[in-house]
């Protein structure tokens, strides 16, 4: 009651979001469906409620339903997910088990025979990254290629810091090109010859699929 009648704008804002969340939870609705004003987001975040976390619904269906592209129960789950601003996808665990047992060289032919572009596991990972606003960039050397996960919108120094904090502190520039250009042109030298190899500074926003080499001061 005191918070409701307070003249302090911060206290009133806190009261408003707590009241909205309380009403939702009392009605059996998750906190993630509560409409939140910009000045209320931090308060909601500090509540650390499990039902504010994003959810990805994975529906395991029969092979027949998967190939037909129709499952009544999966459609109901998709509707529920949409009402919560969440995502859903359909997989067939039976087919995934068969794919996993195949030799990698045979998987493409099996998927094509089923009219499928990629395994369900690939879609699950991609949808999870999308839901969490994450992207992947790569570093490549003679010995190994590594994938690194960063939040979408990360700038080059922050991306470098994922590898080592010294990379971020001493960041000078990032030499980068996109993996699609490498797939098309087949080599880094060909990428450079095509003018696709770039030097980017501290304000560069890393893109999903970038291949990066960081220059930094020790």
């Amino acid at each position: 009651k005191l918070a409701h009648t307070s003249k302090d704008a911060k206290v009133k804002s806190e009261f408003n979001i707590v009241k909205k969340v309380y009403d939702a939870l009392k009605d059996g609705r998750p906190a993630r469906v509560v409409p939140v004003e910009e000045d209320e987001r931090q308060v909601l975040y500090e509540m650390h409620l499990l039902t504010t976390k994003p959810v990805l619904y994975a529906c395991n269906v029969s092979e027949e339903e998967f190939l037909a592209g129709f499952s009544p129960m999966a459609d109901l789950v998709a509707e529920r997910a949409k009402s919560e601003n969440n995502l859903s996808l359909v997989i067939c665990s039976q087919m995934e088990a068969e794919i996993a047992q195949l030799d990698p060289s045979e998987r493409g032919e099996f998927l094509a025979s089923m009219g499928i572009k990629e395994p369900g596991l690939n879609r699950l990972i991609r949808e999870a990254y999308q839901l969490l606003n994450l992207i992947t960039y790569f570093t490549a050397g003679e010995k190994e290629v590594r994938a690194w996960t960063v939040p979408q919108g990360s700038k080059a120094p922050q991306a470098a810091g994922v590898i080592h904090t010294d990379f971020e502190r001493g960041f000078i520039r990032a030499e980068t090109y996109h993996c699609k250009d490498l797939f098309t042109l087949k080599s880094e030298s060909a990428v450079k010859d095509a003018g696709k190899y770039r030097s980017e500074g501290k304000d560069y926003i890393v893109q999903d699929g970038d291949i990066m080499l960081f220059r930094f001061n020790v």
Side-chain angles (χ1 to χ4, degrees), residues 65-129:
E65 288 178 319
F66 185 84
L67 295 177
F70 175 72
S71 168
M73 292 302 296
D75 288 346
L76 291 175
V77 173
E79 291 178 11
R80 171 67 178 271
K82 186 177 181 180
S83 71
E84 298 176 356
N85 293 319
N86 286 315
L87 298 175
S88 70
L89 60 83
V90 175
I91 60 172
C92 174
S93 60
Q94 179 182 350
M95 293 179 63
E96 292 301 314
E98 293 176 10
I99 293 170
Q101 292 174 3
L102 291 173
D103 186 272
S105 62
E106 299 175 338
R107 290 175 186 171
E109 183 178 347
F110 176 81
L111 291 171
S113 69
M114 293 291 186
I116 307 170
K117 293 183 178 180
E118 61 181 350
L121 181 60
N122 292 19
R123 292 185 291 111
L124 180 61
I125 294 171
R126 188 170 59 251
E127 294 288 356
Y129 266 56

Side-chain angles (χ1 to χ4, degrees), residues 182-202:
L182 180 62
F183 299 154
T184 301
L185 300 170
K186 307 304 182 184
S187 70
E188 186 176 284
S189 60
V191 170
K192 290 180 179 179
D193 291 342
K196 302 288 187 178
Y197 194 96
R198 312 182 311 277
S199 179
E200 302 286 358
K202 293 181 178 181

Side-chain angles (χ1 to χ4, degrees), residues 3-168:
H4 180 62
T5 58
S6 174
K7 295 182 180 180
D8 187 309
K10 183 174 184 295
V11 172
K12 292 186 71 173
S13 175
E14 291 175 351
F15 174 82
N16 289 336
I17 183 58
V18 170
K19 177 69 165 55
K20 287 192 288 187
V21 170
Y22 174 77
D23 289 343
L25 295 177
K26 188 171 63 173
D27 291 339
R29 294 180 291 123
R32 72 180 71 90
V33 304
V34 175
V36 180
E37 302 294 336
E38 193 60 38
D39 61 345
E40 297 172 338
R41 292 187 184 280
Q42 184 61 29
V43 178
L44 181 61
Y45 173 78
E46 291 173 357
M47 291 182 190
H48 301 292
L49 300 174
L50 285 177
T51 59
T52 60
K53 305 299 183 184
V55 172
L56 174 60
Y57 294 93
C59 304
N60 181 28
V61 301
S62 68
E63 184 174 332
E64 292 75 16
E65 288 178 319
F66 185 84
L67 295 177
F70 175 72
S71 168
M73 292 302 296
D75 288 346
L76 291 175
V77 173
E79 291 178 11
R80 171 67 178 271
K82 186 177 181 180
S83 71
E84 298 176 356
N85 293 319
N86 286 315
L87 298 175
S88 70
L89 60 83
V90 175
I91 60 172
C92 174
S93 60
Q94 179 182 350
M95 293 179 63
E96 292 301 314
E98 293 176 10
I99 293 170
Q101 292 174 3
L102 291 173
D103 186 272
S105 62
E106 299 175 338
R107 290 175 186 171
E109 183 178 347
F110 176 81
L111 291 171
S113 69
M114 293 291 186
I116 307 170
K117 293 183 178 180
E118 61 181 350
L121 181 60
N122 292 19
R123 292 185 291 111
L124 180 61
I125 294 171
R126 188 170 59 251
E127 294 288 356
Y129 266 56
Q130 180 182 337
L131 187 64
L132 297 173
N133 292 317
L134 298 174
I135 62 171
T136 299
Y137 78 88
F138 302 94
T139 54
E142 292 183 5
K143 294 185 178 180
E144 66 175 2
V145 174
R146 290 284 303 273
W148 306 89
T149 300
V150 295
Q152 190 171 9
S154 295
K155 293 185 178 180
Q158 288 74 53
V162 173
I163 301 175
H164 198 289
T165 53
D166 287 348
F167 285 25
E168 181 174 0

